[in-house]
Amino acid sequence: MSPLKIKKGATSHSAYDLRSTFGDAIERHTLAVIVENEPGVLARVIGLFSGRGYNIESLTVAEIDHTGHLSRITIVTSGTPQVINQIKAQLGRIVPVHDVHDLTVEGASVERELALFKVAGKGDLRIEAIRLADIFRANVVDSTLESFVFEITGTPEKIDAFAELMRPLGLQEVARTGVAALARGVVSHG
C-alpha cells in the first residue's frame, strides 16, 4: 500500500488539514496593560515574562489616573501568535491587572518614543550632525564645543535610523524612553 499523497494544508475544511494551528512566524506586538498603581505590580508583570523566557523589547510605565490609582504599562514584545496569546492570557490573570489590550490587533495605533543622543565631533562632522538632526526634526538640548545632545521623538524605526546615521559622526551615548502607544480614534472597551 502506498503512502497517501496529501498536500499539506490544502484547505482548512479538509479532514486532512495538517497545518499547524500554531503560527511559527515571530510577530512584534504592543500591549497596553492597565494595572493598580501599587508596590510590586510591575515586578509581577516582569516576572511573568522572565519566568517563561519571553522577551521584552520595550517597557514604559506611568500613572494615568491619580485618583483611581491606575498605571499604564506599555510593553513591546515578540513571539509566535501562540506565545502572544499566552502572554495576554497570563497577564489578564494577574490580580492587580484591570485590562490588557493588544494594540497591534485591535486596530490602528500611534507609537512614539523619545530619545536623547550625545554626539561628539568637530568641523565637518559637527556640521553634518546638525544637518541630519534638522532633517529628522531633532532638537539640540545641550551643546558644548565638543558635543551636542539631541532630543528626538518618533517611531522606534525613526529613532533607529537616526542612531545609524549618527554612529559614524561620533555617537557617544543613547538614552531611550521606550514606546508609548495609544489606539487611534474612539475606542469602546465595553
Side-chain angles (χ1 to χ4, degrees):
M1 192 159 155
S2 66
L4 294 173
K5 301 280 192 228
I6 301 171
K7 187 175 178 183
K8 189 173 182 177
T11 174
S12 61
H13 302 293
S14 167
Y16 301 107
D17 179 20
L18 302 177
R19 292 180 296 176
S20 171
T21 56
F22 307 117
D24 51 3
I26 302 297
E27 300 174 349
R28 179 182 171 272
H29 284 250
T30 302
L31 307 176
V33 185
I34 309 301
V35 299
E36 288 287 329
N37 187 12
E38 59 186 43
V41 174
L42 182 60
R44 290 177 68 186
V45 169
I46 300 305
L48 180 144
F49 280 80
S50 64
R52 290 165 179 78
Y54 303 147
N55 187 40
I56 295 175
E57 294 177 18
S58 173
L59 175 75
T60 59
V61 185
E63 187 175 52
I64 58 168
D65 183 356
H66 186 67
T67 57
H69 303 290
L70 296 177
S71 289
R72 181 185 182 102
I73 303 173
T74 305
I75 303 168
V76 178
T77 188
S78 55
T80 63
Q82 178 192 20
V83 166
I84 298 297
N85 286 333
Q86 282 178 337
I87 290 171
K88 292 187 297 191
Q90 290 165 355
L91 281 170
R93 285 195 284 272
I94 297 175
V95 170
V97 171
H98 286 261
D99 238 342
V100 177
H101 298 283
D102 187 343
L103 298 176
T104 305
V105 298
E106 289 181 7
S109 64
V110 177
E111 290 187 2
R112 291 295 180 267
E113 184 173 2
L114 172 78
L116 299 173
F117 289 84
K118 186 184 291 181
V119 180
K122 294 183 178 181
D124 289 343
L125 292 178
R126 189 172 173 91
I127 293 167
E128 182 65 8
I130 290 286
R131 188 184 71 76
L132 287 170
D134 188 47
I135 291 169
F136 277 80
R137 295 187 176 128
N139 298 316
V140 176
V141 293
D142 185 58
S143 179
T144 68
L145 294 174
E146 293 86 30
S147 69
F148 288 109
V149 174
F150 295 109
E151 172 190 74
I152 185 170
T153 304
T155 63
E157 294 79 16
K158 177 182 176 181
I159 306 291
D160 291 341
F162 188 71
E164 286 306 310
L165 291 172
M166 287 294 143
R167 247 183 236 355
L169 301 178
L171 181 62
Q172 299 290 305
E173 197 172 349
V174 179
R176 294 175 77 155
T177 60
V179 173
L182 284 175
R184 293 186 62 162
V186 179
V187 180
S188 171
H189 295 295

